[in-house]
């Protein structure tokens, strides 16, 4: 229920000392959440429920990871939680390509660069500066500058055009961190917050309950169909990834491709840097099989043929990695085409 959701949000906010240390105005914070919630549109996927899910997932990652939980300061945690819930505020239900191809007002404002992510970040701070929502009024100028920087950059980091570079940076960070060259190998607080939110944004595929995974998978497909219909109506080229999504087999193919080429490289790299997140990789392998089963029906022969046709980057998910760094680098090179 809405009351339960609000209680969870407040529990997450109160889970550490960031509110107390930075003297956050709780009444204004509640107004900020009200305003953010009402500003999320009634989209199939990019709605307030998605924002809450990303907030929860990002928070859980930040608590489970020993690296993140010890590296972030209270101001970073405050920025992480608020940025996560507001990262898609006022999302139109279409993607950046649609904004650019339609020459939208947002595309003109942001010069076709991370159009929606820039809009979300801007909308976030416009909301926060409203007198009734200014929950961070007690922050010093330096604290607010730091908070604003972390929030803006972490929302911009959800732009999928940056995904490949983020995965590679995670891999490089894991290599350096495990070598223990020096303290400088610890990633910056900005990158750790970016990683939490980017993981949270894509983490549905790692949920322990496949029925939840399937629900969100069908929601994103519905949003794809919505955009495809708009593109067709406007005489624009229909995005290839948003066509032929009518049957369970079509949808399963789409979700398997998303797991193989997008989610798995990110999760594997994150688990390499932060082994405490290993359960995500285990869940991902199970959910991948769930989509494969959905796409083939009950015939074991069909399932075998279906899986044979798919890329399988998920190997030994959940097992302790004992390979040498050189061997690991070879397997990563093989995966680069999937990033």
């Amino acid at each position: 229920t809405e009351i339960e959701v609000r209680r969870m949000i407040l529990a997450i906010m109160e889970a550490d000392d960031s509110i107390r240390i930075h003297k956050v105005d709780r009444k204004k914070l509640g107004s900020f959440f009200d305003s953010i919630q009402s500003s999320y549109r009634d989209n199939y996927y990019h709605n307030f429920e998605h924002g809450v899910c990303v907030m929860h997932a990002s928070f859980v990652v930040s608590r489970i990871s020993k690296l993140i939980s010890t590296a972030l300061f209270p101001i970073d945690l405050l920025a992480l939680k608020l940025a996560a819930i507001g990262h898609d505020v006022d999302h139109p239900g279409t993607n950046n390509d649609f904004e650019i191809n339609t020459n939208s007002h947002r595309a003109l404002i942001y010069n076709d660069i991370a159009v929606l992510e820039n809009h979300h970040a801007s909308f976030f701070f416009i909301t926060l500066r409203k007198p009734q929502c200014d929950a961070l009024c007690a922050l010093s100028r330096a604290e607010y500058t730091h908070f604003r920087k972390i929030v803006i950059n972490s929302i911009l980091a959800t732009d999928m055009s940056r995904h490949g570079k983020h995965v590679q940076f995670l891999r490089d960070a894991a290599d350096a961190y495990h070598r223990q060259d020096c303290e400088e190998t610890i990633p910056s607080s900005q990158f750790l917050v970016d990683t939490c939110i980017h993981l949270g944004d894509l983490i549905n595929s790692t949920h322990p309950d496949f029925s939840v995974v399937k629900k969100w998978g069908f929601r994103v497909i519905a949003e794809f169909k919505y955009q495809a219909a708009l593109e067709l109506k406007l005489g624009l080229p229909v995005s290839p990834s948003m066509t032929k999504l009518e049957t369970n087999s079509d949808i399963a193919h789409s979700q398997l491709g998303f797991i193989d080429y997008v989610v798995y490289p990110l999760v594997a790299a994150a688990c390499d840097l932060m082994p405490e997140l290993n359960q995500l990789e285990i869940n991902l392998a199970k959910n991948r099989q769930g989509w494969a089963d959905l796409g083939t029906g009950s015939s074991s022969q069909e399932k075998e043929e279906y899986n044979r046709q798919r890329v399988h980057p998920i190997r030994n998910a959940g097992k302790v990695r004992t390979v040498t760094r050189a061997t690991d680098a070879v397997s990563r090179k093989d995966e680069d085409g999937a990033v």
Side-chain angles (χ1 to χ4, degrees):
T1 67
E2 188 169 330
I3 293 177
E4 290 172 332
V5 169
R6 180 53 65 92
R7 285 175 179 169
M8 184 186 74
I9 292 171
L10 294 178
I12 290 173
M13 294 303 302
E14 297 279 4
D16 54 61
D17 288 335
S18 57
I19 284 184
R20 179 185 61 80
I21 290 173
H22 295 293
K23 300 177 182 178
V24 174
D25 187 313
R26 287 171 171 77
K27 182 177 180 180
K28 291 183 177 181
L29 182 64
S31 296
F32 172 77
F33 286 136
D34 288 339
S35 185
I36 289 293
Q37 180 174 359
S38 65
S39 298
Y40 267 94
R41 304 190 194 185
D42 190 22
N43 298 319
Y44 293 105
Y45 184 90
H46 291 100
N47 49 42
F48 182 65
E49 186 180 354
H50 169 66
V52 173
C53 287
V54 174
M55 180 192 197
H56 177 259
S58 302
F59 168 71
V60 170
V61 168
S62 73
R63 295 292 286 249
I64 293 176
S65 166
K66 294 178 182 178
L67 172 62
I68 295 175
S69 62
T70 56
L72 297 186
F73 291 99
I75 192 69
D76 301 320
L77 293 170
L78 188 61
L80 184 155
K81 290 182 280 190
L82 293 181
I85 198 169
H87 81 284
D88 271 335
V89 66
D90 196 39
H91 196 292
T94 52
N95 64 16
N96 281 333
D97 286 341
F98 185 84
E99 295 290 321
I100 294 168
N101 291 337
T102 56
N103 203 30
S104 72
H105 181 64
R106 285 182 288 266
L108 293 176
I109 291 176
Y110 299 113
N111 299 312
D112 296 348
I113 300 172
V115 176
L116 291 178
E117 291 75 23
N118 272 300
H119 175 66
H120 302 322
S122 175
F123 199 105
F124 177 101
F125 281 101
I126 288 172
T127 302
L128 189 62
R129 73 180 296 176
K130 294 177 181 177
Q132 70 273 23
C133 300
D134 186 15
L136 307 183
C137 53
L139 292 183
S140 68
R141 182 180 294 274
E143 289 170 337
Y144 180 78
T145 298
H146 180 81
F147 171 87
R148 178 168 161 79
K149 171 179 170 288
I150 294 290
V151 170
I152 291 174
N153 287 333
S154 62
I155 293 177
L156 292 179
T158 63
D159 179 4
M160 287 305 297
S161 70
R162 302 185 180 193
H163 178 75
K165 289 183 179 179
H166 195 108
V167 170
Q168 188 56 55
F169 198 107
L170 265 175
R171 290 171 171 172
D172 293 342
D175 287 339
Y177 188 67
H178 290 312
R179 284 198 307 269
Q180 296 181 337
D181 292 339
C182 60
E183 284 191 10
E184 293 179 5
T185 62
I186 298 177
S188 68
S189 59
Q190 179 69 70
F191 183 74
L192 294 176
V193 173
D194 294 352
T195 298
C196 280
I197 295 180
H198 192 40
L199 269 172
D201 201 20
L202 301 178
I203 212 166
N204 283 330
S205 296
T206 69
H207 196 281
D209 185 349
F210 181 67
S211 66
V212 175
V213 175
K214 187 168 69 170
K215 178 188 78 171
W216 284 101
F218 274 83
R219 284 187 181 187
V220 78
I221 293 299
E223 206 163 281
F224 285 173
K225 290 181 178 180
Y226 168 73
Q227 177 170 324
L230 284 179
E231 290 171 334
L232 192 62
K233 181 179 180 180
L234 295 171
L236 297 171
V238 178
S239 303
S241 62
M242 299 182 182
T243 60
K244 298 179 181 179
L245 297 172
E246 301 304 322
T247 67
N248 280 348
S249 180
D250 296 334
I251 294 171
H253 269 90
S254 174
Q255 291 301 303
L256 286 170
F258 180 63
I259 288 174
D260 290 348
Y261 297 115
V262 178
V263 183
Y264 172 72
L266 177 67
V267 170
C271 289
D272 202 7
L273 178 62
M274 300 168 282
E276 303 86 7
L277 304 180
N278 196 46
Q279 187 63 43
L280 298 181
E281 198 169 352
I282 297 173
N283 294 344
L284 186 61
K286 292 178 181 178
N287 292 329
R288 188 193 187 285
Q289 187 59 53
W291 284 116
D293 291 347
L294 183 68
T296 57
S298 58
S299 168
S300 59
Q301 184 176 357
E302 285 181 334
K303 290 178 183 178
E304 184 178 351
E305 177 62 25
Y306 187 81
N307 280 310
R308 188 180 296 118
Q309 295 173 5
R310 298 298 306 165
V311 177
H312 270 278
I314 302 180
R315 305 184 184 94
N316 302 319
K319 295 182 180 179
V320 177
R321 294 187 176 95
T322 57
V323 295
T324 64
R325 307 308 296 178
T327 303
D328 198 28
V330 171
S331 65
R332 286 176 176 173
K333 183 177 180 181
D334 292 337
E335 294 165 14
D336 281 345
V339 176

